[in-house]
Amino acid sequence: MAKKTEIYTFEGRTFEVTTVLEAGFHGEMAHSFIYEVVRPNWKFFRTRMMDDKTFWVSDYETIQEGAKTMLALVLSREEELATVRQKWADFEK
């Protein structure tokens, strides 16, 4: 089974993105699991699962480009949720 883990750093945060072949789609679909490295020196529990995303391989030039895009989508959603939480915090004041 095709599987690869890549490390990305963004704004001082480190992410591990593991991308695998999605079973049953004959290589046309990939699945990325996005983890944030929160304790880099620990042997166990060093990462925190953020999300997982599936994408069509044909939509991107490379599978790595698709995996990076999935990471960007997860980070974008995290930012949107932080904005919503801040609006509620402001509303409760």
Side-chain angles (χ1 to χ4, degrees):
M1 175 160 124
K3 175 182 176 180
K4 186 173 182 181
T5 300
E6 296 181 314
I7 309 292
Y8 299 103
T9 303
F10 180 72
E11 292 184 355
R13 297 166 68 188
T14 303
F15 302 93
E16 289 182 1
V17 180
T18 302
T19 303
V20 298
L21 171 69
E22 186 67 34
F25 283 92
H26 310 290
E28 297 173 1
M29 188 173 265
H31 197 102
S32 290
F33 298 90
I34 295 110
Y35 302 89
E36 180 177 8
V37 178
V38 290
R39 292 175 287 277
N41 298 324
W42 288 27
K43 186 173 183 175
F44 300 105
F45 307 110
R46 62 184 293 277
T47 61
R48 173 180 67 92
M49 175 73 166
M50 293 186 69
D51 205 348
D52 61 301
K53 297 281 185 193
T54 305
F55 62 94
W56 295 104
V57 173
S58 59
D59 289 347
Y60 301 95
E61 285 289 320
T62 64
I63 295 173
Q64 289 84 0
E65 183 183 323
K68 284 182 190 178
T69 303
M70 297 306 108
L71 173 61
L73 289 172
V74 168
L75 293 175
S76 173
R77 180 67 179 147
E78 181 182 60
E79 193 174 298
E80 290 172 7
L81 291 174
T83 302
V84 168
R85 282 192 296 273
Q86 184 59 49
K87 287 180 181 181
W88 279 107
D90 293 343
F91 175 73
E92 291 175 340
K93 289 181 182 178

